Amino acid sequence: MRRFVLAVSLVVAGGLTAGCGPEFDPFHLANKFRILTIKTDPPELVIDPGLLSGMPSGPVMLPAPVTMTALHPPAEGVTWRWDVCLFSLDSLSAFECVDPDLEVTLPATGNEATLDLIQVLSALGGGVPMGGEGEGEGEGEAPAGCPAFLALPDGSCLSRLDIQVKVTAGPPGEEIVAVRKVPVWFDAAREPNQNPDVRAITVEGDPVRGGEVTLTADFDDASLEQFVDSDGDTRTELPVFSWFTTAGELQPGATFDDDRDTTLILPTDESVDTVEVYVVVRDGDERRGIDFETLTITLSD
Amino acid sequence: MHRSKRRWTPSAPRGVTPLPVLPAAPLALLATLLLAAGPAAAQEPPEGPPADAPPAAPAAEQAPEEAPAKDEAAAEEEPAAEAPPAAPGAGADAAPAEAPAEEAPAQSELPEGFEPPKLLQEVQPTYPPEAQAQKLAGDVVLLITIDEEGAVSEAVVVQGVHPLLDNAALEAGFQLVFEPAKMNDEPVPVQLQYRYGFTYVEEKVEVAAPVDEEKPVGVLEGQLFKRGSVDALPGVRVVLRELGLETFSDAQGKFRFEELPVGPLIIGIEDDVYGDIEDEEEIKAGEVVTVTYRLDQETFGDRIQVFGKRPKKEVVRRTITVEEIRTIPGTNGDALGVVQNLPGVARTPFGQSDLILRGGGNTQAYLNQQPIPIAFHFGGIRSTVASALIESIDVYPGNFDVEYGRVSGGIVDVRLREPRTDRVHGYVEADVFDAGALVEGPVGENGGLAIAVRRSYFDALLAAAPLPDTFSITTAPRWYDAQILYDWKDKGHRFRALLYGSSDQFESVIEEPPEQNTLIRGDAVAKLEWVGGQLEHTWDIDDRLQHKLNVAYLLTGIDFGVGEIFSLNFLFHQLFIRDSVRAKLTDTLELKVGMDVLNQWNTIDALGGVTGPPREGETGGGFGSDQTISVEIDTFEANCALYTAAEWKLGPILLIPGLRFDVFSAIDDYRLQPRFTARWDVVEGTTVKAGVGQFVELPDGQDTSPDIGNPNLKAEDSLHYSVGFEQQFTDAINLDVTAFYKTFDDLVTRAESLDAADDFDDALEANAGPSLLNQGEGRSYGIEFLLRHDFSNRVFGWVSYTLQRSERRDRPGDDWRLFDFDQTHNLIVIGQYKLTPKWTVGFRWRTTSGNPDTPIVDSVFDANTGTYVQIPGEPNSTRQPTFNQIDLRVDREWTYDTWRLVGYLDLRNTLNTANASGFQYNYDFTQRTQAYEIPIIPSFGLRGEF
């Protein structure tokens, strides 16, 4: 309890000092190479566990390949590498893959890549004990109907595995690392999540150098789904919008729910002729569906 | 007409009987001698003329050794107290004091060649008038040191009666002159006990009527109070010089003169502390003139406060009496805040309230020996118990008594005082942080009740503060606490009932999420509330046997959450039972047996990342970047302990072997913990001490959860070693030096990370295995110095210094790393000076090694949450700059007729020193800037009390 009391104190202190930080470049200013988001389509996979044990519960539906796109501001000389890892560490261990042998490099073209789970498992070969099914006898044995692959030492069956995709990108010597986890549900009955849908960014106002314009995310509310949260409650996804710009200032840099517009204060720097703006929308904290849109604004004097 | 005659009679020591020579003094022979006093009879000096002579004067003399003690008749020949005229009905005779003869070693025990000292000049103490009003009497025994010159170089009270008489005896004792003791004809210093007996005698004597019976007369009566309160002032001299009359105020501060001649009359009031005043009153025929005087304190008196009043039985128990510390700068008058200025206590940054003793392990706060959830409200500014109700705070940085357990760090035990029962008292106080009030007084014949409440108004201040538009506060940080204490005692029984509670709450609505982490939005709640009660019964069955039972119940709720991504709800029902018997088996052996039970019902409802909050030695992680898990836990745990300890006094040596046996039902574990402490009073004023013991600490409740922890975790073990000495230089100045070494085993740390997995099977097993294991170890060692000047001669203060190192090893084979709060040097100097009775100034200087810091060397962008996750370097591999701060404080008191007002100005960080607290990083951790602790903070407060 002591750690939580301390954490409470820190949160209170942090809350009181919110907005009192030093003058760093704001998060929304994409003035250097960085990855703004990684969209995967679909955002999660659902696999019949029987497929892995050779005893599917119904007609076999192989998981479709996942297409992945990394959003980034313009940059030159960037190299890209996409890797996938079946078992990775948590944030305290920088998301490292537990075993280099469990990491597979994905086919990619620059900021786009494809994740084909079947190919990945195949590439890993014998490293993954795919076959067999537990008989539910003895401690540590896979429960009945659970493939050995998903059997846990405590006798339960793993229902979800977060496969981690790691992107290493950037100019040589200045590479940055970004990760994206793709949940794989071993539950044939699960309705897989779909990405939210942002259709465009609209601009209101004249993009005069030094002036202000209003940016609005044209978002399709029909893309918001209902889901059962970790508490067992049924909820509707809540869209959260993150805004970025290559120049100028956004007020605010993030909005959510029905608040879908922001103000862009355009730069006064005459060397800047165009401004790239981006909006990234997430469908909620537990859902991890992502979409994005970009817009180029040409400045006038 | 009567007149009352009072006098005192010092009963004399009647001989010099040496004890065996003690060889302990390093350079000089120290002999302890006993001047055994024979019975002193009540002495009746002849009446003296009513003059200005003091009403109490030496009446008996003594002669050491060869001079036989004077008998009553002889005493009658001494200069006697004059008999002041006083009010009629002044009371009956008091029984004469009698100094008991003491057993003295035989003369033959004197070492060969030794000649005891001979008294050359005797000095009798002055009987304080205040003592007279209280009818004080008894024997004060001094231990005096006579140097080679025959002068008294040191005197301490070894058997006191009352501070008034003790101080009078000390004052006289220092003026005694001896022919020095000799060993082989060479003068040597010796110590001897010297007794002053004070006898109160009061009798009524007839005096000639000073007034003409035919003339009309009147009566003057009055009462004296301490200005600023309704406290009566007894023992103050009231004189009518024109008439040659004087008297003293009685216990209620009252005085009375009868049959006074009619007309104007000058009344004089004389007192050493309250000064002299004169006033004129008109005496009217056949009437009673009533006057009331409220006297203001003009001088300081000679009060000496003692740091630890109870005899020490531990290696280190630092006791703070509240009265002496409420004006220490930088604490805003909060008693518990002063604990952080003691040796062995790590400095925590402003706003944090952890008590970290001797390099780690949990520190448990107790209230009357029963645990309380937290000692401080949020931010560490204010303790959760009203300072004015606290009698003392015992701080055990290690090697604590068997009565305490389940933690391996230290103990802070807050003891509440008895409510005052002489009348109704109270106060109202307010400062920039909060306001509080207390009222107390008698209830029934033997009971007292005190009620204290406090509420912060930080929320009101914040309402006026500029806050970011994106941040709206629905409940600003605010705290409440309240205590209701009833205390009753009679005929060896003492019953105490306590109701107490505390509430800290902070709620806000984050209108727009911070762009670098959009997960932080919506409601942010931090709430910690607890309420409970204690019933305590202490029964002194006889003078050798005491039974004590304390039952406490505590309900604690914690509600902590940020939006829908993280929440934590704890609800604890805790029942504490502490039952102990203390028996004095012989004059040298005392036994304590007891049990300490904690039954706890836990309901935990948590939603958050599986990694939980950072543990000691960890930095950050990524908020929301790990798999979210929802956990509901309902558990019951019974923790029971039996303990026993003996206190065995072998002359100057005190040995305390003890044993504590703990059973923990929740983790199915038990521990037998032997503990041993020894203290040796090598010579008067010098004590050597040592201790060793085993201690055990329970894992945090959530750590044993099967969902987010490991239900198979066991208790953490710790061994404490300490050795040191205490040196009393003078009555007021003492030094405590203690070296310590502490080990920790089976610390709960995160399981071997999956880094070590050799293949897929290992990885899978490790991933599904317990996230926490009893695999860490730790060690801390260092030395503590505390040089104190107790309050005397207007001065109070201490110098505290700790040199220490505390390290941890999280997993077998890992390198040792620094503990989060490892502070190599920690120096605190506190000083207070009472400029006048109304003005006090003080300062505090702290300089401490900066806390260890873990550099952030890189980051990873987590595309799932859109946040950057820090990648730390070697844990605690760098250190923040040295902390340096000076705090100043000024206190002023104003006294009014029936109440007084105290105001203070407290300047924390007076020099506005920029003290580093850590680093602030930009969103992707590629830039950082030094963050600093608070700048200068002026705070002021007022307190009115009656």
Side-chain angles (χ1 to χ4, degrees), chain A residues 2 32 91 181 231 235, chain B residues 362 564 626 630 861 864 924:
Chain A
R2 180 169 155 264
K32 63 179 182 182
S91 65
K181 293 196 173 180
D231 281 334
R235 293 162 47 195
Chain B
N362 279 347
E564 296 173 352
D626 297 305
S630 178
F861 178 67
N864 291 85
D924 62 355

Side-chain angles (χ1 to χ4, degrees), chain B residues 372-390:
Chain B
I372 54 175
I374 54 171
F376 294 96
H377 291 292
F378 288 166
I381 296 170
R382 189 70 69 195
S383 55
T384 53
V385 178
S387 291
L389 267 184
I390 296 175

Side-chain angles (χ1 to χ4, degrees), chain A residues 1-4 8 15 18 22 27-28 32 34 87 89 91 98 127 177-179 181 230-231 235 253 282 285, chain B residues 362 378 468 471 515 519 564 568 572 607 613 615 622 626 630 702-703 754-755 760 861 863-864 866 920 923-924:
Chain A
M1 185 173 74
R2 180 169 155 264
R3 281 194 298 135
F4 285 99
V8 169
F27 181 77
H28 65 252
K32 63 179 182 182
R34 52 193 271 210
F87 288 91
L89 304 181
S91 65
V98 298
V177 175
V179 296
K181 293 196 173 180
S230 51
D231 281 334
R235 293 162 47 195
R282 293 182 175 78
D285 306 330
Chain B
N362 279 347
F378 288 166
F471 189 75
E515 57 189 25
L519 300 174
E564 296 173 352
L568 180 71
F572 299 129
L607 170 71
R615 305 182 72 83
D626 297 305
S630 178
Q702 66 277 3
D703 286 351
L754 302 186
D755 302 323
F760 186 87
F861 178 67
N864 291 85
Q920 278 185 292
Y923 61 85
D924 62 355

Side-chain angles (χ1 to χ4, degrees), chain A residues 203-209 211-213 266 300:
Chain A
V203 180
E204 184 179 329
D206 294 331
V208 181
R209 195 181 308 276
E212 292 182 5
V213 294
L266 296 164
S300 60

Side-chain angles (χ1 to χ4, degrees), chain B residues 29 58 77 83 165 188 191 259-260 273 281 350 404 438 504 523 544 588 650 715 719 769 773 803 860 928:
Chain B
L29 177 67
E77 297 169 10
L165 300 187
V188 292
Q191 285 187 317
E259 299 179 16
L260 299 176
V273 174
E281 290 292 339
F350 180 79
Y404 303 103
L438 177 145
D504 285 75
D523 293 336
R544 289 179 169 269
T588 58
L650 294 171
L719 286 173
L773 291 173
L803 173 68
V860 172
R928 74 176 190 183

Side-chain angles (χ1 to χ4, degrees), chain B residues 129-179:
Chain B
E130 298 94 325
Q132 196 169 29
Q134 299 177 45
K135 300 181 179 180
L136 298 176
D139 291 346
V140 178
V141 180
L142 305 178
L143 180 64
I144 61 176
T145 303
I146 305 167
D147 63 17
E148 294 94 328
E149 306 294 327
V152 175
S153 60
E154 190 174 346
V156 294
V157 176
V158 294
Q159 176 189 315
V161 174
H162 184 279
L164 289 169
L165 300 187
D166 298 349
N167 288 334
L170 279 171
E171 189 175 332
F174 271 110
Q175 299 176 55
L176 296 170
V177 178
F178 291 83
E179 181 180 323

